[in-house]
Amino acid sequence: MTTTSEPRGLDHLVIGVADLDAAGAFYADLGFRVGARNRHPWGTENRIVQFPGAFLELITVGDATLIPPHAPRQFSFGAFVRDVLAQGEGMSMLVLESRDSAGDAESFRSAGIGDFEPFFFERQARRPDGSEVRVAFSLAFAENRTAPECGFFVCQQHEPQNFWNPAFQQHENGASGLSAVFLVAQEPAAQTAFLSAFSGAESFATPEGGLRLPLPRGRLEVLTPGAAETVLDGESRRQQAHFAGFAVTVPDFEPLRQRLLERGIAHRQEGARFVVPGSAAFGCAIIFERG
């Protein structure tokens, strides 16, 4: 399927967890550098794992009384996180990069995949030396009717020099980048139209009956439940399409192998991949790829 918009790369993944500090400690055990707790004005709290140009957002509900409801043309990020987390932990939202959130919102409207107003917010962040700086973002949301449990939006950075920091991107496990995200669907082909319009990327059918969309940063893979059981080391009985995990690149497997063994973290090796199943990782499978 061909598209007319410029392809958008991975920006970040939203991973819902019941206990933010426990999840942060687990990711630190895996060898990731995990940022400090941040608070949103709409009731959620997060901790971030940063790579060049992309990050993981571990998120939980801090104060449910602050969460605004969905409204006409207004997507409530906090309400979506709360509602999906109530069904279980794991990745709930895929976020791609944006250079023009207002233009992207109009593009989504024209494509029939979303009619939401762009959403702007800002907060204070801390540098490695402890000093505070302003970070600000504009978001444009899309709606995938074939995957109602999955959230999709794009993120435009207004103070990128204050957000991206090489010091935060140095991980003990050697992880150098976010390389893939995995969506599981009973009928992957049914995701083609939405994902192509949302990402601006061309989709390719895989021999296993899935889809692959190469992005400017990373890739998006849509797996059948059977393929997900093989690739992600986890059986899923969910009928609805859902996000199941992500992949990061590491240059050397031996230090990672030793780390996982020493800390008793469940994993298996399959060729040029190490897989930590979602059952051991707060509902979100983690794949380490050589790269």
Side-chain angles (χ1 to χ4, degrees), residues 13 33 40 43 48 75 81 87 110 126 150 174-175 191 206 219 221 244 265 280 283:
L13 313 179
R33 175 163 185 169
H40 296 137
I48 285 172
F75 185 95
V81 169
Q87 301 177 43
S110 298
R126 289 190 181 276
C150 301
Q191 302 296 321
T206 66
R219 69 187 189 277
E221 295 195 23
I265 297 173

Side-chain angles (χ1 to χ4, degrees), residues 40-42 73-75 77 101-102 116-123 134-141 153-159:
H40 296 137
W42 53 83
R73 303 195 67 199
Q74 303 294 324
F75 185 95
F77 177 91
S101 59
F116 301 99
E117 290 293 335
F119 178 71
F120 171 83
F121 77 98
E122 60 185 324
R123 64 172 174 82
R134 172 184 180 266
V135 293
F137 317 87
S138 289
L139 315 179
F141 293 90
F153 65 94
V154 296
C155 178
Q156 178 182 2
Q157 292 260 2
H158 296 292
E159 302 281 359

Side-chain angles (χ1 to χ4, degrees), residues 196-211:
S196 293
F198 174 63
S199 68
E202 185 174 3
S203 62
F204 300 91
T206 66
E208 299 77 23
L211 295 175

